Amino acid sequence: MQTVIVDGLAFPEGVRWRNGALYFSDMHSHQVLRWEDGRLEVLAHIPGKPSGLGFTADGALLVASQHDRSVYRVDLAAPGSGAELHADLSGVASWHLNDMITDAEGNAYVGNFGSGAPPGEPIAPAALARVGADGAVTVAADELFFPNGMAFSADGRTLTVAETRSEPGRLTQFDVAEDGSLSNRRVLVEFASEWPDGIAIDRNGDFWVASPFSDEVLRVTADGEIAERVAVTAPYAVAIGGDPDGDGGSDLFVASAETWLPEEAAVRRSGRIVRIDGVVS
C-alpha cells in the first residue's frame, strides 16, 4: 500500500531513516526536515540548496549544500540553531554537489554533477569526494558520470554508486579499504533506458533504485538482476526504514515531485514523501 505521509514540498531529496525518524532535504525550499510519528520539523535552512544527508559518529546531521559546494553540520540536539561549515569541497567538485552517504565513523562520500550540461547534452565526468570525520577532503574516485545515490553493504566494505548520466545509466561498485579509499571498480548493472537516481539497500542486500523518468522504483539484486518494478510517480530518492528502534525496516520511503526544474518546483510544490509498507520480506 502506498501512503502519502508528507506533501506540499518543492523538491524532496536525500531521504534517510534513522532512529525511528525520516530525514530529508526540501531542496528548492532550502530546508532540511525531520518527520517522526506524523510530525514535521524544520531542522535547518541551507541557502545554497540542501541535497544529500548523512550523520557523524556522534549523531550530528551532515548536509551537502549544492551551490556553495560545501558540507554543513547541524546539531540535532538544538534544531533550528543553524548550520556550521564542516568542509569546503570546491577544490574537488567541478559543479553543484549532489547526493551523499556517510559510513559508521562519519566519513562522507559526496557526488557532484560534473558540469552544468542539461539532459540531452553530454556531461563532464565528476570526481567523488571523500570528507573525513575531521573535515579533510580528498578524491575517492574520478571519471564518474553524475555520481548520485549511494549505498554501503552491511559490512561497509562495498560502496555502490548510481551513475545517473553514464550511457547507459548504471550502478558502479567499489571495494572500501580500512582507510576509506576505494578500489576494484566494476559495474553491477547497466540499465536499458532508465536513469538511476537515489538508491537504498535492504537487509537482503537488494538495491532499491529510483527511476524518475520511467515512474518506477526498481529492485536490483546483489547479482545485478532487475527483480521487481514498483510504479511510483517521478521518484528521485528512496530509503528503507520503518523500524522504530533503529536504522532498518521493511518499508520503502520515496521522495517524488512532478518536476525537477527549480522555478517550477518552487511554485507547484508537488513534492511528496510516499511510504510503501512491507516491501522487504
Side-chain angles (χ1 to χ4, degrees):
M1 180 177 67
Q2 296 190 16
T3 304
V4 177
I5 60 172
V6 183
D7 60 9
L9 304 169
F11 191 83
E13 257 287 9
V15 286
R16 297 284 184 265
W17 180 267
R18 184 176 174 87
N19 296 334
L22 189 74
Y23 296 79
F24 61 92
S25 298
D26 191 11
M27 184 184 296
H28 303 321
S29 291
H30 309 273
Q31 293 179 325
V32 180
L33 303 104
R34 174 169 56 196
W35 177 91
E36 186 174 11
D37 295 329
R39 301 187 306 272
L40 193 63
E41 180 182 16
V42 176
L43 300 175
H45 182 80
I46 306 293
K49 293 191 177 182
S51 185
L53 303 180
F55 298 90
T56 64
D58 61 0
L61 179 67
L62 295 182
V63 184
S65 178
Q66 284 199 316
H67 288 183
D68 56 356
R69 305 179 196 181
S70 297
V71 171
Y72 289 88
R73 177 187 174 105
V74 176
D75 183 1
L76 293 177
S81 62
E84 176 186 352
L85 180 65
H86 180 65
D88 180 348
L89 279 70
S90 59
V92 170
S94 52
W95 201 250
H96 302 329
L97 298 189
N98 201 11
D99 214 338
M100 175 174 67
I101 194 170
T102 49
D103 63 18
E105 288 74 40
N107 304 299
Y109 295 80
V110 192
N112 77 88
F113 292 12
S115 69
E121 296 183 11
I123 198 164
L128 181 68
R130 181 180 182 271
V131 180
D134 60 355
V137 180
T138 56
V139 174
D142 56 16
E143 296 294 311
L144 292 162
F145 288 90
F146 207 102
N148 208 335
M150 288 173 277
F152 280 111
S153 58
D155 63 2
R157 289 292 168 249
T158 302
L159 177 65
T160 301
V161 182
E163 290 190 76
T164 301
R165 292 182 62 179
S166 59
E167 296 183 5
R170 61 195 175 206
L171 299 186
T172 298
Q173 294 187 315
F174 298 90
D175 292 341
V176 184
E178 290 285 347
D179 64 359
S181 61
L182 304 181
S183 64
N184 190 25
R185 177 174 178 164
R186 68 268 188 193
V187 174
L188 174 66
V189 59
E190 291 185 333
F191 299 98
S193 58
E194 301 87 352
W195 287 30
D197 202 311
I199 68 173
I201 191 169
D202 66 25
R203 59 175 174 262
N204 300 320
D206 289 346
F207 298 93
W208 296 84
V209 182
S211 176
F213 302 119
S214 63
D215 291 321
E216 60 190 346
V217 176
L218 313 174
R219 179 168 65 87
V220 176
T221 69
D223 296 325
E225 299 296 325
I226 299 176
E228 187 176 354
R229 297 175 181 265
V230 180
V232 183
T233 301
Y236 287 91
V238 292
I240 294 292
D243 180 355
D245 301 317
D247 298 342
S250 301
D251 301 338
L252 180 67
F253 293 87
V254 184
S256 73
E258 293 176 2
T259 177
W260 59 270
L261 296 170
E263 297 80 8
E264 292 183 12
V267 172
R268 293 172 64 175
R269 301 197 70 85
S270 65
R272 59 186 189 171
I273 306 291
V274 177
R275 181 175 187 159
I276 307 176
D277 296 332
V279 299
V280 183
S281 57

